Amino acid sequence: MKIISNVETNGSWVYLYDEQGHRYKTLSASNVGEVKGFSSTFFVSEHGSWVYLWNSKGDRYKFLPKSNVGDVIGVAGNTFTSRNGHWIYTWSSDGSRINYRPAR
């Protein structure tokens, strides 16, 4: 399994880089959308009314309605965080909501 060290958007392409800094995967930005964050094992993007979860091989494995998730504000470890209205949600890398709290 590849370890993601960077996810970079350049024009029409999204590039995945491994821990040696080598580009190992190229994806079409029109399919990925806007990359919101990444960790060593997955990355999150928003495209239209969807939030996509991608594994380190560059495969999209889950999509969630943006109306449920809100705006992705961070990715760390095996979780990502979003803000939806007056709430902050924490999600697992498999797309399950773990926790929530009021936004301040």
Side-chain angles (χ1 to χ4, degrees):
M1 175 155 102
K2 288 285 189 180
I3 301 294
I4 300 171
S5 70
N6 193 24
V7 179
E8 180 180 282
T9 302
N10 188 349
S12 299
W13 304 104
V14 174
Y15 301 119
L16 303 184
Y17 292 88
D18 66 15
E19 62 272 20
Q20 274 75 45
H22 297 115
R23 183 171 67 201
Y24 68 90
K25 186 74 174 186
T26 302
L27 304 167
S28 169
S30 64
N31 290 335
V32 174
E34 181 183 357
V35 176
K36 301 305 284 184
F38 67 92
S39 74
S40 62
T41 58
F42 79 111
F43 71 98
V44 180
S45 68
E46 292 180 359
H47 188 41
S49 58
W50 297 99
V51 173
Y52 294 146
L53 305 182
W54 303 80
N55 64 24
S56 63
K57 294 188 282 187
D59 299 324
R60 185 177 70 200
Y61 64 89
K62 185 81 171 190
F63 54 94
L64 304 164
K66 191 166 171 15
S67 59
N68 290 350
V69 176
D71 295 316
V72 176
I73 56 176
V75 179
N78 290 317
T79 65
F80 68 98
T81 307
S82 67
R83 181 184 183 123
N84 195 354
H86 297 291
W87 296 97
I88 302 290
Y89 296 109
T90 303
W91 304 82
S92 70
S93 62
D94 69 4
S96 301
R97 190 172 73 194
I98 298 170
N99 205 347
Y100 63 95
R101 65 177 173 81
R104 301 187 201 271

